[in-house]
Amino acid sequence: MELRVLSLYPEQMNIYADRGNILFLQRRCEWRGIGFTWNGAGPGESVDPAAHDLFYIGGGQDRDQQLCAQDLIETKRDGLHQAAARGAVVLGVCGGYQLLGHSYILGADEIPGVGLLDVRTVREDGPRLIGNVAIEVTLDDDAAHVLAGFENHGGRTHLGAGQQPLGRVLKGYGNDGRSGYEGARSANTIGTYLHGPLLPKNVWFADWLIARALGIDPGELAPLDDAIERQTSLSARHAAGV
Ligand code: GLN
């Protein structure tokens, strides 16, 4: 078994520990004897949908997103749609989440997204939504898990009528500070505003992503000693007040 990860715009869309999230996936694979490969796809580079199991796009400032958006549409959109259709995991964090939707409207500018998630983001008047956040995520087995992290976004994201959120806000703002929803999920395509060290803080989520990307049940992954990871998770939940 091998987990093949591709980061989109690792130089441009990379704030708040996006590299650390990838490293965490790598370590958890290596500790279990699962192979791991990582590649990056920057501007001008296309995406081979069959060559990777997990596609990651991290956070970015508005201006970084503006620089990447057109290239994303031109060189990577079709490959990403094909990858998602064959069940690969596509994970977008914060600015990356916004680019997985249809558009991000910033004043007079409309930044186009790849349309993998039925969401639209608008930079409305009002403060940035910043702080520790915790959400409740219900997975396919109906088990509810808490995902804890940190959010910092100016955009407010609105879900289309049939779009499933990733979770329900327990503490924090989530997609828009009003709806009570955070993130979006369509099969194995996931967007979330929770960044910072999202995966080290939520080891269950990291393993779930690994399993989905490998096409196996999370229960098939060999257990690891997660004492430190559990402490990290408790501390993130505590910071959010949950
Ligand atoms: N630039 C986007 C916003 O402010 C995303 C920010 C981020 O990735 N932290 O909404």
Side-chain angles (χ1 to χ4, degrees), residues 13 15-16 58-63 65 93-96 98 104 121 123 128 152-156 193 195:
M13 299 291 290
I15 47 175
Y16 300 147
Q61 309 286 353
D62 291 344
R63 70 169 180 281
Q65 289 172 264
V93 174
C94 206
Q98 295 169 342
Y104 178 22
T121 302
R123 179 70 176 93
R128 294 185 69 78
N152 179 357
H153 49 109
R156 272 71 168 162
Y193 273 117
H195 60 173

Side-chain angles (χ1 to χ4, degrees), residues 110-128:
E110 179 164 350
I111 302 178
V114 293
L116 270 175
L117 295 169
D118 184 14
V119 306
R120 292 174 197 280
T121 302
V122 184
R123 179 70 176 93
E124 294 166 14
D125 289 339
R128 294 185 69 78

Side-chain angles (χ1 to χ4, degrees), residues 73-110:
I73 303 282
E74 284 166 12
T75 67
K76 300 174 182 61
R77 177 180 55 190
D78 294 351
L80 277 179
H81 275 266
Q82 288 165 30
R86 69 163 188 83
V89 168
V90 181
L91 174 63
V93 174
C94 206
Y97 166 34
Q98 295 169 342
L99 291 181
L100 292 183
H102 297 297
S103 58
Y104 178 22
I105 296 176
L106 272 168
D109 291 334
E110 179 164 350

